[in-house]
Amino acid sequence: MRSFLRERQVVLFSIAVPVVLYPLLLWGMFTMMSLAQERGTDLRPRVGLVGPASFRNLPGSLAGLESVDWLEVPADSQGAAEAIAADSLDAALIVRPGPSFEMLYDGSGEAGPLARRRIENALEDVREGELRQRAMLHGVSPTSWEYFHMKALDIASRREHGSFMLSLMLPIFFTVMVAVGSFYPAVDSTAGDRERKTWETLMSCGVDRNAVLTAKYLSVTTLGTTAGLLNVGSMTLTLSTILAPLARGAQMPAFSISAGSIPLVVLSSLLLAAMVSAGMMILASFARDFREGQALVQPFYIMAILPALLLQLPGLRLEALTALVPFLNTALLVRAAVLGTAGLLPTAITVAVSTAAVAIMMRAAGHISLQEGAAAGDMRLRAPALLQSFIDKRSEKGGAHAG
Amino acid sequence: MQDSTIQIENLVKVYHDRARGEVRAVDDITFSCRSGEIFGLLGPNGAGKTTTLRTVSTVLQPTSGTVRVMGIDARQDPVGVRRSIGFYSSTTALFPRLTARETLRFFAEVNGYTGDIRQRVEEVIHDLDLGSYADVRVDRLSQGMKQKVSLARTDIHDPPVLILDEPTTGLDVLNAREIRNRISTLRDRGKTVLFSTHIMAEAEKLCDRIAIIHEGRLLGTGTLGEIRERTGERYLEDAFVKLLLRRGADG
């Protein structure tokens, strides 16, 4: 572990990145979004008005619409379309007798749809005002004319809003961070040791080789768990600041994780790191050097992260069925922990499935790593030969063993 | 083979090479080593010295034959064998990010040293005359220093047997001499040193007994005097060639 912590890459990816990178990235992203929104507010689409002169006397709310620039255009819709195609207009409002309105706009940019939204809102106000006046002329009061009035009130607390937002973002970042935190140590402790020729140094020590492998595995798992937890803590503490640019005076959600949820978050981190570390170490065992190890482990890294992306599907939650899927179950457990909805049975299934996955992978890792070729730092193993050696080993009784 | 700390009987190690087919890297070798002796395995590159030493140290498993260290069968109790030895080879490097002191402490612990580890580490550092280099990271030490630390690493848990595969390779004259002196000191303390080299002069200077090995087979074993007498040659190089020719004549 001491050797790991003196390696810059480990400190960077297992500690610094989880704490700093994602919060910084998110802050940057949301700041850009806020700037984009502000720019949208300042943008004034160019809108042409087409129709007979008598219909150009638009109601005040539309004629006085300050969020668009009304321009003179050719007299007909054909000319308006040509002007939009030539980018001298963003949209055109065609007024016909009735009245009826038709809007032409360039949907491939940002100004055209913006013009449409603003003019549609303004026309809705016009319609509302006209209907209200006609109702009053017929002796219908505005209250009864409205028929019903609906009022919506969000009763969720700021904390509940915060928990919901955390539950959307944390699982994926958490999964990525655990995988990132485990990646370098897993490759370094296997393929890296072979490249540095320290593998054989360890394998010739007066200790059971399975114990050496277990110690390496626990180091990698510890770093992966740490990376995941640091990220959770960092995100929780900084999310208010990150989202502040978007708040615009509205009440910010309160981001926190309840004390009761923390053990489950720690458990999830541990289980995920255990599975990721085991898988990565198996694959890196086939590598002769660090670069080869990276190449072998990369697909597994992506595979470990993919299930967390499924969390964007609506209605996906931790249940008995989803708890059976490794990697997905731990991401769902984090979400459930943050929301305070983790049930006992799904949690128990998650623990059981993850532990079984780890046990199987570590057994495989032990069998691969402790082959003579591996013990001697010379890996030329192929799957059929490995399988054969596993079968031979199982059929031997008290035969020679590599440890 | 009374008082033998290392006993090798009919050792065979076969590799299966895709290009060359079956390769008998070690072919029916038998020898033994005693405590307080430097036993040299001497032969050219590719003779089978490293394979023999790696098999004795349990890094490799023998295809057939027996390896016993301090009476422990390497197949039955490889951990027990490894606790009784310190193994050095060009394939056993040091951890670059640890200091010399940390390295020694780690290997003392891992190899189950039962005494006061801190005191032992300080003694060894003093013996090596490392001084302030003891707290420098290994990757910043000179080659000579690294080799000293490597040698110390094999002995830090005070094993009765040391297995050293060409420990002076890559060293300059002075450093190589210093390493040889340390090996002699270890022998004088009663340890068994199984030592390999391809440098005939080195074997002449250092070894109490020698086994000459070529293409996986032993050509001859004995003290330097015995080999000279057997072959009628003064220098090991000439003795080696003579033994080789005799083997060729015997078919």
Side-chain angles (χ1 to χ4, degrees):
Chain A
M1 183 65 90
R2 186 175 302 185
S3 181
F4 271 150
L5 293 176
R6 286 183 185 159
E7 177 59 42
R8 259 180 242 153
Q9 299 252 29
V10 171
V11 173
L12 185 65
F13 289 110
S14 297
I15 296 170
V17 164
V19 173
V20 171
L21 179 65
Y22 277 104
L24 262 181
L25 276 179
L26 281 178
W27 174 81
M29 190 174 81
F30 286 123
T31 301
M32 294 292 287
M33 282 171 62
S34 173
L35 287 173
Q37 278 184 357
E38 279 178 21
R39 185 174 172 273
T41 307
D42 294 336
L43 187 64
R44 290 166 64 92
R46 300 159 299 173
V47 183
L49 196 56
V50 182
S54 59
F55 288 98
R56 291 213 182 187
N57 294 322
L58 294 174
S61 59
L62 192 59
L65 190 63
E66 291 182 353
S67 57
V68 302
D69 283 334
W70 295 106
L71 300 177
E72 291 295 326
V73 291
D76 57 16
S77 55
Q78 174 74 18
E82 287 169 3
I84 291 171
D87 198 30
S88 52
L89 279 182
D90 298 309
L93 183 65
I94 304 164
V95 186
R96 294 201 173 89
S100 76
F101 299 92
E102 182 182 331
M103 191 150 182
L104 302 177
Y105 68 100
D106 178 6
S108 65
E110 47 185 352
L114 189 62
R116 176 189 163 177
R117 280 197 300 276
R118 288 174 180 173
I119 289 176
E120 276 181 345
N121 289 342
L123 281 174
E124 193 57 38
D125 288 342
V126 168
R127 188 211 311 275
E128 185 83 13
E130 182 63 23
L131 289 174
R132 198 182 293 271
Q133 271 192 330
R134 292 187 185 188
M136 284 172 67
L137 281 174
H138 285 87
V140 177
S141 72
T143 313
S144 55
W145 170 79
E146 272 193 6
Y147 183 53
F148 65 82
H149 178 70
M150 195 188 99
K151 188 176 168 183
L153 188 62
D154 183 357
I155 61 170
S157 65
R158 288 176 57 226
R159 190 188 172 110
E160 285 165 336
H161 274 292
S163 294
F164 175 66
M165 291 183 75
L166 271 179
S167 74
L168 291 177
M169 284 191 275
L170 265 184
I172 180 66
F173 289 123
F174 163 84
T175 304
V176 169
M177 276 298 106
V178 169
V180 164
S182 304
F183 188 102
Y184 188 92
V187 177
D188 187 67
S189 66
T190 46
D193 258 351
R194 291 201 182 87
E195 187 174 344
R196 288 185 297 265
K197 295 183 181 175
T198 47
W199 183 263
E200 194 167 312
T201 314
L202 279 176
M203 293 296 119
S204 59
C205 283
V207 67
D208 191 303
R209 286 173 181 154
N210 281 304
V212 173
L213 196 66
T214 302
K216 283 174 175 289
Y217 170 69
L218 289 175
S219 297
V220 175
T221 302
T222 301
L223 286 166
T225 305
T226 304
L229 292 175
L230 281 175
N231 181 248
V232 167
S234 172
M235 294 280 291
T236 305
L237 290 172
T238 60
L239 217 45
S240 296
T241 309
I242 290 168
L243 292 178
L246 293 178
R248 296 165 168 264
Q251 215 176 25
M252 279 289 292
F255 298 105
S256 64
I257 297 178
S258 67
S261 300
I262 291 174
L264 279 179
V265 172
V266 173
L267 177 64
S268 304
S269 187
L270 200 59
L271 291 173
L272 181 62
M275 285 193 290
V276 167
S277 303
M280 288 181 174
M281 287 182 75
I282 289 176
L283 292 168
S285 297
F286 287 95
R288 285 166 287 183
D289 53 41
F290 190 87
R291 185 176 287 193
E292 200 171 275
Q294 277 185 310
L296 288 173
V297 170
Q298 191 72 20
F300 180 83
Y301 168 78
I302 293 169
M303 192 190 83
I305 293 171
L306 273 177
L309 295 176
L310 294 176
L311 262 63
Q312 304 310 311
L313 293 173
L316 194 64
R317 56 172 63 96
L318 184 68
E319 296 165 331
L321 197 60
T322 52
L324 293 171
V325 182
F327 300 113
L328 177 65
N329 53 13
T330 48
L332 286 172
L333 184 57
V334 170
R335 172 180 279 181
V338 169
L339 289 171
T341 58
L344 186 59
L345 179 63
T347 303
I349 294 174
T350 300
V351 172
V353 165
S354 302
T355 306
V358 167
I360 291 168
M361 285 194 280
M362 283 312 293
R363 191 166 167 80
H367 180 70
I368 293 165
S369 298
L370 301 180
Q371 291 291 300
E372 181 173 283
D378 176 27
M379 292 296 293
R380 296 291 188 273
L381 301 180
R382 299 187 184 281
L386 261 180
L387 191 57
Q388 184 63 48
S389 73
F390 184 71
I391 293 168
D392 290 344
K393 192 176 174 182
R394 296 278 290 178
S395 64
E396 274 174 17
K397 290 183 182 176
H401 58 89
Chain B
M1 295 190 179
Q2 238 174 344
D3 300 328
S4 297
T5 52
I6 299 176
Q7 291 171 272
I8 313 288
E9 290 176 23
N10 307 113
L11 182 65
V12 174
K13 179 62 184 175
V14 176
Y15 289 115
H16 294 276
D17 185 80
R18 202 190 282 182
R20 296 182 291 162
E22 193 177 275
V23 176
R24 291 177 84 85
V26 177
D27 193 357
D28 196 20
I29 282 181
T30 296
F31 66 86
S32 64
C33 310
R34 297 186 285 263
S35 56
E37 149 179 272
I38 298 175
F39 189 97
L41 272 188
L42 178 66
N45 293 331
K49 306 186 299 295
T50 298
T51 303
T52 302
L53 296 188
R54 284 167 111 193
T55 308
V56 174
S57 65
T58 77
V59 172
L60 302 176
Q61 291 183 55
T63 304
S64 65
T66 315
V67 173
R68 278 196 174 80
V69 178
M70 301 301 291
I72 304 168
D73 188 316
R75 280 189 201 262
Q76 305 291 331
D77 186 9
V79 177
V81 166
R82 290 199 294 271
R83 280 188 182 258
S84 306
I85 65 170
F87 175 58
Y88 168 83
S89 171
S90 61
T91 53
T92 58
L94 298 171
F95 291 98
R97 298 187 287 254
L98 296 182
T99 64
R101 181 177 270 110
E102 289 164 346
T103 298
L104 295 176
R105 185 177 185 92
F106 172 75
F107 283 101
E109 287 177 358
V110 144
N111 285 300
Y113 181 68
T114 52
D116 184 336
I117 290 177
R118 190 173 167 279
Q119 187 181 344
R120 173 70 178 159
V121 167
E122 294 309 317
E123 273 172 16
V124 170
I125 287 172
H126 182 263
D127 277 351
L128 288 175
D129 198 23
L130 279 181
S132 59
Y133 287 103
D135 295 307
V136 173
R137 276 170 51 156
V138 164
D139 56 2
R140 292 176 194 156
L141 296 175
S142 65
Q143 188 59 30
M145 280 287 188
K146 282 182 191 172
Q147 209 73 337
K148 275 199 219 177
V149 176
S150 282
L151 192 59
R153 192 260 310 155
T154 62
D155 187 49
I156 191 64
H157 56 295
D158 200 19
V161 174
L162 295 173
I163 300 173
L164 308 174
D165 185 12
E166 303 200 5
T168 60
T169 299
L171 295 181
D172 60 39
V173 168
L174 290 177
N175 280 318
R177 186 187 172 93
E178 191 172 349
I179 294 295
R180 283 195 292 271
N181 288 342
R182 292 199 184 280
I183 293 172
S184 294
T185 305
L186 291 167
R187 180 265 318 271
D188 294 341
R189 289 178 187 169
K191 294 184 187 275
T192 305
V193 181
L194 178 56
F195 169 89
S196 80
T197 181
H198 64 274
I199 304 170
M200 307 286 171
E202 188 168 71
E204 282 180 0
K205 283 180 189 168
L206 201 53
C207 301
D208 300 306
R209 287 195 300 140
I210 297 166
I212 299 178
I213 182 169
H214 180 63
E215 289 182 352
R217 306 198 91 175
L218 272 184
L219 300 184
T221 313
T223 64
L224 186 57
E226 286 168 355
I227 291 175
R228 280 173 176 155
E229 197 177 324
R230 202 178 306 156
T231 60
E233 300 291 343
R234 176 176 170 69
Y235 297 110
L236 264 181
E237 187 180 315
D238 299 328
F240 170 76
V241 173
K242 193 160 224 175
L243 287 169
L244 192 61
L245 289 171
R246 272 188 199 169
R247 183 186 147 202
D250 293 344

